[in-house]
Amino acid sequence: MKIVAATRNNGKIKELQAILSDLDIEIVSQAEAGIDIEVEETGDTFEKNALIKAKSVSMLCDDPVIADDSGLCVEALGGAPGVYSARYAGENASDEEKNNKILAELGETKNRKAKFVCVTALVFPDGYEVTATGETYGSITYEPHGEKGFGYDPIFYSDDLKKTFADADDNEKNKVSHRARALQALYEKLKTITDK
Ligand code: IMP
């Protein structure tokens, strides 16, 4: 089965290929499928946004389409930045500015619990939809640490890895990340479907 990935992010495509490699599935990027659209994420949940992205690309091709939406949720900030993670400090803000905004908002707050959430959606040409969620838990540091990764990685101290995601290499992060867990959950659901 061929699946089109509704993303321009090559890192996400590599992760998809690695995790779904033992299923009989070929992942093709949106660009390789000749689809050049930028989808606006207008939903107020990760699931809605993942489905918006998958359905928008699905309307333009005849193959199943996979998409995901993810973000950071900080308990003491009422779950913010959540679905607004990408643009939390404004449209053109750098990762550093976004991280500093969260650190400033938390100040010396003792409750620094946080999680990354990812919802993956797979939409078939007949309209059938499957979604799966993955979460990974940790806390917000008092200052950024580490040079690897992207986004909020330098301020997210992972409970699993006992270091920030920005101090972890790709291999380590991919074992415990919200995205890997969402894909694993989707994989389990797909296995049940393809086994039937
Ligand atoms: P999207 O899922 O591509 O819309 O990404 C949402 C935003 O959440 C990204 O721009 C990052 O700011 C943040 N984010 C999602 N996953 C991660 C991660 O694994 N590390 C750091 N930041 C992330």
Side-chain angles (χ1 to χ4, degrees):
M1 175 169 56
K2 185 165 119 187
I3 296 183
V4 175
T7 178
R8 294 153 181 266
N9 181 331
N10 288 329
K12 282 189 183 177
I13 291 169
K14 265 202 229 152
E15 263 187 64
L16 275 170
Q17 281 165 338
I19 293 173
L20 302 179
S21 62
D22 65 324
L23 290 179
D24 192 15
I25 287 174
E26 181 199 357
I27 302 286
V28 175
S29 73
Q30 182 182 318
E32 283 167 332
I35 299 165
D36 182 25
I37 53 162
E38 181 89 61
V39 181
E40 229 190 297
E41 299 173 18
T42 50
D44 56 4
T45 64
F46 295 113
E47 186 173 34
K48 282 183 195 162
N49 281 331
L51 281 168
I52 288 171
K53 290 186 227 179
K55 283 180 185 170
S56 307
V57 172
S58 179
M59 285 194 290
L60 303 173
C61 69
D62 299 323
D63 296 301
V65 176
I66 194 166
D68 73 16
D69 194 47
S70 57
L72 176 72
C73 302
V74 181
E75 191 172 277
L77 301 180
V83 291
Y84 306 106
S85 291
R87 291 167 299 276
Y88 194 48
E91 204 61 52
N92 298 314
S94 63
D95 284 344
E96 195 182 351
E97 284 167 328
K98 289 192 284 183
N99 287 335
N100 286 338
K101 180 168 157 96
I102 297 212
L103 292 178
E105 283 174 345
L106 277 181
E108 296 300 310
T109 307
K110 287 270 176 305
N111 175 11
R112 309 192 75 86
K113 275 191 210 158
K115 62 180 178 182
F116 275 119
V117 181
C118 176
V119 176
T120 299
L122 181 60
V123 172
F124 290 86
D126 65 1
Y128 182 72
E129 298 165 2
V130 193
T131 61
T133 304
E135 298 191 341
T136 192
Y137 303 96
S139 54
I140 302 300
T141 54
Y142 285 87
E143 49 189 56
H145 203 276
E147 303 294 331
K148 302 181 189 116
F150 71 100
Y152 299 102
D153 283 346
I155 60 165
F156 184 79
Y157 183 90
S158 159
D159 285 350
D160 291 296
L161 300 179
K162 308 284 182 243
K163 54 181 155 184
T164 68
F165 268 177
D167 275 325
D169 56 40
D170 282 357
N171 246 343
E172 290 175 302
K173 184 180 164 188
N174 287 345
K175 283 195 186 109
V176 302
S177 82
H178 46 311
R179 206 165 292 108
R181 286 176 177 164
L183 281 175
Q184 197 59 47
L186 186 76
Y187 170 92
E188 300 300 335
K189 289 191 182 181
L190 277 181
K191 235 170 46 166
T192 346
I193 295 168
T194 48
D195 283 352
K196 272 181 194 159

